[in-house]
Amino acid sequence: MSTHRQAVRQKLAKLITILLVKTLPRFERAGKLNKGLVLLTRIAQAIPYEEYQRVQLRQLHDAFVNNHPAVQLARRAVAEVHPKFLKCLIENLWVNWWAQGGKRAEFLAREGFEPPRLAVISPIKECNLQCVGCYASAVKGIQNERLDFETIDRIVTELKSFGTTFIVFTGGEPTHPIIWPTIKAICAKHSDQAFMMYTNGTLIDDEKVADLLELGNLSPAISVEGWEEETDSRRGRGVYARVVAAMDRLRAARILFGFSLTYTSTNFHVATDPKFIDFLMEKGCLYGWYFMYVPVGRDPDLTLVVSPWQRDRIRQFTWDMLRQKGLFIADFWNSGPMSLGCIAGGKYLHINNRGDIEPCVFFKYTTHNIHNSTILDALRSPLFTEIRKGLRHQRNPLTPCRFMDHPDEAVRVVESSGARPSEEGGEALLGPEIKPFLDRFAREYREEYADPAWTQTADYAWFAHVYKAPEWLPPASGRVTKLPADAEAGVQKTATHH
């Protein structure tokens, strides 16, 4: 097919896909949503520039044909989410992502590395809560350093020029009154972009719900630690009740929202309880993010870190919930197979309230600041380059993290790049008290749990077509990577078979 005909075909498929999205509620009301989803995913396969995206769409198409639990998530989204948010989810996030593959390919050819898929911006340090073990070291008092509208607008504009379609706000607290007007203005100006924010939820009142509904492209992910006892013990008395009330408001307004849970040694029992997931779904959550507690930020506490066994149990639990429930759920450590391992240092980055450009919100080292450089300058820097260099020779996507899974690699990156800590006390993560702990943790998790899970089970056979590239070496334990017998056909299989 000629380049011109391909471009016309892609443009036509994009237009039809957008029109189909608008008609999905009609399919749902007529009891024919499956038929609409099958049609949508079949037509959308003509949009992506990159083959792996077409493979994913074919797999999703087959999942809908075979009535996979993903259908339940789609049904919930169509039935429960306001049309403005549904349009943003599919058009702003996915269709734009598929359609801009050429722009990202040009970036890759020019720079030698992939541009960011997403970015996290923390415009302020201020927060109305003081949670135990806050990774961001947020404070209640007013701070002098924060990102203004012009700076955030410049950041978003540069990211969009790379083909980035997803931007996340965190903090501090993004619904704090000193920054909320700025965030609203940014989302309104960049109405073609998909935004999400991590929020403690306690400031989401009726007025903010109205703001979110007017925007239609900013989805809240509300932090929760478990039931009332677990949430209030870490976040403060009465926080759980305010979080539940916020979820009720958001659901009543049909706003797309989810939850964010940091699993620790103290709330592990709730983090692996299907009843808690059912409760969050009943409250209206359509997605959820799991974060392993990392000993960074305010007063790092090693006793809060889960054991290697507990981490592996979380891995199994979130994978089971993803396959069994009508809920998208991911863990930034244990869901490595879905993102080709760690995405820090290029495919993803973080900019804090002072403008420091970091490889990750937890990797608090930097060499560049947005006030005197561009994002591209930081991406080209030795710090980001050295991280990407280490990622080229990965052994197991279940051990993706540069410091929780590969602390020696983190030391190498910091020392070779001359990076400085971007937060007071940031050097403690790789210091004499925490580094030996990370060494033991990483070794036990890799050898006892991650390597067997990756090499000796069929759990990840669906990803077989991805992990045939030469950069995926045999696991560090020395065993030869061998997919299970039924995974040889896994390239063609869909999630319905696993």
Side-chain angles (χ1 to χ4, degrees):
M1 184 181 296
S2 68
T3 303
H4 175 70
R5 288 183 63 190
Q6 177 69 15
V8 172
R9 185 168 177 260
Q10 286 177 319
K11 186 174 182 179
L12 183 60
K14 181 178 178 180
L15 290 173
I16 296 175
T17 297
I18 292 172
L19 287 173
L20 272 173
V21 170
K22 295 179 180 179
T23 63
L24 284 179
R26 296 181 186 175
F27 279 98
E28 199 276 334
R29 288 192 296 270
K32 298 181 179 180
L33 181 59
N34 277 35
K35 181 178 180 180
L37 294 171
V38 169
L39 181 61
L40 177 69
T41 48
R42 185 166 69 240
I43 293 174
Q45 290 175 36
I47 301 175
Y49 178 89
E50 298 171 274
E51 175 59 25
Y52 82 90
Q53 294 172 338
R54 289 191 288 273
V55 170
Q56 291 172 343
L57 275 168
R58 286 196 293 271
Q59 291 172 329
L60 187 59
H61 172 272
D62 291 347
F64 288 144
V65 168
N66 291 286
N67 202 32
H68 182 267
V71 175
Q72 301 306 317
L73 176 58
R75 180 172 287 114
R76 290 185 61 211
V78 173
E80 300 175 17
V81 173
H82 192 281
K84 290 178 70 172
F85 281 89
L86 188 62
K87 175 180 179 293
C88 172
L89 176 65
I90 299 180
E91 184 177 344
N92 289 17
L93 182 59
W94 292 114
V95 173
N96 283 351
W97 172 254
W98 300 328
Q100 295 193 61
K103 182 184 293 186
R104 292 192 303 278
E106 291 173 2
F107 183 101
L108 174 62
R110 183 179 69 250
E111 301 293 338
F113 56 87
E114 183 181 341
R117 299 178 183 179
L118 73 141
V120 178
I121 305 171
S122 298
I124 65 169
K125 197 78 164 173
E126 291 90 338
C127 184
N128 61 310
L129 301 182
Q130 290 287 275
C131 303
V132 175
C134 175
Y135 79 89
S137 300
V139 298
K140 280 194 173 182
I142 299 299
Q143 303 293 295
N144 293 325
E145 296 174 305
R146 67 177 66 100
L147 303 180
D148 57 19
F149 174 88
E150 289 73 19
T151 303
I152 300 174
D153 181 44
R154 179 163 57 86
I155 292 169
V156 174
T157 299
E158 184 178 2
L159 288 167
K160 288 170 67 174
S161 75
F162 302 153
T164 305
T165 61
F166 186 40
I167 295 173
V168 178
F169 291 113
T170 183
E173 172 53 44
T175 64
H176 195 289
I178 65 173
I179 199 64
W180 181 242
T182 298
I183 288 180
K184 283 196 302 179
I186 289 292
C187 294
K189 179 176 180 179
H190 298 277
S191 59
D192 59 341
Q193 197 79 356
F195 295 93
M196 192 191 81
M197 64 175 174
Y198 290 112
T199 170
N200 61 46
T202 61
L203 300 178
I204 297 180
D205 53 16
D206 290 339
E207 183 178 348
K208 287 192 174 65
V209 169
D211 290 339
L212 290 168
L213 195 55
E214 181 179 355
L215 290 170
N217 65 338
L218 174 60
S219 176
I222 300 179
S223 298
V224 62
E225 309 300 324
W227 303 109
E228 184 173 20
E229 179 182 352
E230 293 81 19
T231 298
D232 285 4
S233 65
R234 187 178 185 210
R235 296 185 169 269
R237 187 175 180 179
V239 169
Y240 177 80
R242 295 164 71 183
V243 163
V244 171
M247 289 183 176
D248 289 340
R249 291 189 186 96
L250 293 169
R251 182 176 186 179
R254 302 177 65 197
I255 289 171
L256 173 65
F257 74 97
F259 71 90
S260 169
L261 184 148
T262 299
Y263 54 93
T264 69
S265 59
T266 59
N267 72 347
F268 166 77
H269 60 292
V270 182
T272 52
D273 184 357
K275 292 181 180 178
F276 184 61
I277 298 298
D278 290 339
F279 169 77
L280 293 172
M281 292 175 62
E282 290 170 4
K283 283 297 169 185
C285 294
L286 266 80
Y287 63 87
W289 303 111
Y290 267 50
F291 291 89
M292 179 166 56
Y293 172 78
V294 178
V296 300
R298 182 190 304 121
D299 302 322
D301 185 350
L302 294 178
T303 67
L304 289 177
V305 181
V306 292
S307 69
W309 175 84
Q310 288 175 324
R311 176 178 170 182
D312 187 62
R313 181 68 189 92
I314 292 284
R315 175 194 65 80
Q316 297 173 44
F317 177 78
T318 52
W319 188 234
D320 288 342
M321 293 300 98
L322 178 64
R323 293 183 295 182
Q324 297 171 10
K325 304 282 187 179
L327 176 80
F328 174 82
I329 188 168
D331 179 333
F332 277 82
W333 282 262
N334 295 322
S335 297
M338 290 194 289
S339 60
L340 293 179
C342 180
I343 60 175
K347 297 177 184 176
Y348 146 72
L349 54 85
H350 173 241
I351 302 175
N352 68 18
N353 65 298
R354 290 183 299 279
D356 295 320
I357 307 173
E358 304 167 340
C360 168
V361 294
F362 300 102
F363 201 141
K364 296 182 178 297
Y365 286 85
T366 188
T367 58
H368 284 68
N369 189 284
I370 198 65
H371 295 301
N372 51 38
S373 64
T374 66
I375 295 174
L376 185 56
D377 292 333
L379 291 170
R380 292 169 171 169
S381 71
L383 173 61
F384 281 67
T385 300
E386 288 301 312
I387 289 177
R388 291 193 299 270
K389 185 184 298 183
L391 294 175
R392 291 191 192 116
H393 300 288
Q394 304 181 70
R395 297 178 182 274
N396 187 336
L398 293 174
T399 57
C401 185
R402 294 301 91 187
F403 48 85
M404 290 301 290
D405 295 316
H406 306 281
D408 286 338
E409 174 69 7
V411 171
R412 181 194 71 80
V413 165
V414 169
E415 292 180 349
S416 63
S417 66
R420 61 173 176 80
S422 52
E423 296 279 358
E424 183 179 355
E427 69 278 3
L429 181 65
L430 302 178
E433 294 185 8
I434 297 179
K435 173 64 163 52
F437 172 87
L438 296 180
D439 288 335
R440 293 190 299 272
F441 180 93
R443 182 172 56 255
E444 181 179 346
Y445 180 69
R446 180 179 65 250
E447 294 178 355
E448 299 298 324
Y449 302 102
D451 280 359
W454 183 244
T455 63
Q456 299 172 18
T457 74
D459 284 350
Y460 303 98
W462 189 33
F463 300 97
H465 68 283
V466 177
Y467 293 99
K468 291 186 176 182
E471 61 264 29
W472 290 96
L473 305 176
S477 62
R479 288 187 292 269
V480 176
T481 301
K482 188 179 188 312
L483 287 168
D486 65 342
E488 291 303 316
V491 179
Q492 285 78 36
K493 287 184 178 182
T494 69
T496 58
H497 298 104
H498 302 289

